[in-house]
Amino acid sequence: MISVKNLSKHFRNETAIDYKDIIFEDGKSYMLLGASGCGKSTLLNMIAGILSPESGEIEIDGVEMSSKSQKEKDKFRIEKIGYIFQDFKLIPEMSVIDNINILNLEGVDTSGADEFLEKLEILDKKNKKVKNLSGGERQRVAIVRAIVKKPDIILADEPTGNLNFAIGEQVIKELVEISKGKTLIAVTHDERLAKYFDCVIDMNEMTGGRRDV
């Protein structure tokens, strides 16, 4: 379970976002819906330990993470969290499988990659360079890279942001299906995708927007 309590994040432009308390239960899929700037991606990055809050707590499975050192946060993210970035963060000149196997440098076992590539119907692209793939195919590679280590938590930041709706909808359906039994938290502004998630959280209501500090 992920518990967010009294969380606040400040920014260099002297604004801040305050979050209401939120609980994410194990094994459920969550959609964080809201306008740009309401704090969706910021919350995801704080859960992942990429950003640190100014105040409040993020507790994961009973462990208070926000007070941990950056080294401890990074270790936890590598071991327990699969992160799907909005811009994919793939290396265009490398093949699909090499983009996945780069996780070996972090001690991640990627031997199950073929299974996930097959589930997402891109096993035949395994040895192609990422630069030669379509947007939807690149997104699927990013998903495989995130889930190949079989994480307990999957975070997805605007996983359909670079795709048209038809392809994006298919990607979301695949992501939710392949994440069953895990905690999935996906950020999006497209409410048409809400029907595929167990829970939808309106972040406009959970933060009240930005404030001056």
Side-chain angles (χ1 to χ4, degrees), residues 103-122:
L103 294 176
N104 296 156
L105 298 176
E106 298 178 344
V108 175
D109 179 6
T110 59
S111 59
D114 282 6
E115 174 190 351
F116 291 113
L117 289 169
E118 186 170 18
K119 283 184 178 180
L120 292 176
E121 299 181 353
I122 53 169

Side-chain angles (χ1 to χ4, degrees), residues 60 65 72-81:
I60 302 179
M65 298 298 300
E72 290 172 313
K73 291 177 183 178
D74 292 343
K75 183 175 184 292
F76 182 85
R77 183 172 62 254
I78 291 169
E79 293 177 352
K80 301 292 185 179
I81 296 176

Side-chain angles (χ1 to χ4, degrees), residues 113-169:
D114 282 6
E115 174 190 351
F116 291 113
L117 289 169
E118 186 170 18
K119 283 184 178 180
L120 292 176
E121 299 181 353
I122 53 169
L123 182 58
D124 61 327
K125 311 292 183 183
K126 175 180 176 178
N127 296 308
K128 288 187 176 293
K129 289 186 177 181
V130 165
K131 68 178 182 180
N132 296 323
L133 303 181
S134 68
E137 289 167 344
R138 293 183 191 189
Q139 187 59 280
R140 290 179 173 94
V141 176
I143 291 172
V144 172
R145 189 180 58 184
I147 64 177
V148 70
K149 56 184 173 182
K150 299 178 180 177
D152 298 325
I153 301 164
I154 299 172
L155 307 177
D157 190 4
E158 292 283 5
T160 65
N162 297 299
L163 310 174
N164 65 45
F165 179 72
I167 295 175
E169 182 179 35

Side-chain angles (χ1 to χ4, degrees), residues 44-64:
L44 223 61
N45 284 325
M46 287 192 289
I47 291 173
I50 296 170
L51 294 177
S52 297
E54 265 59 50
S55 61
E57 298 179 353
I58 298 173
E59 192 175 281
I60 302 179
D61 294 337
V63 178
E64 208 287 286

Side-chain angles (χ1 to χ4, degrees), residues 2-3 8 32 36 45 58 102 106 165 185 189-190:
I2 303 171
S3 175
S8 179
L32 304 187
S36 178
N45 284 325
I58 298 173
I102 201 168
E106 298 178 344
F165 179 72
I185 308 173
H189 61 274
D190 194 336

Side-chain angles (χ1 to χ4, degrees), residues 28-46:
K28 287 190 175 182
S29 60
Y30 293 84
M31 176 182 180
L32 304 187
L33 182 67
S36 178
C38 73
K40 305 185 303 296
S41 296
T42 299
L43 177 59
L44 223 61
N45 284 325
M46 287 192 289

Side-chain angles (χ1 to χ4, degrees), residues 18-19 39 48 68 100-101 195 200 203:
D18 299 321
Y19 296 86
K68 298 287 187 182
I100 296 169
N101 286 341
K195 61 185 177 182
V200 177
M203 294 300 293

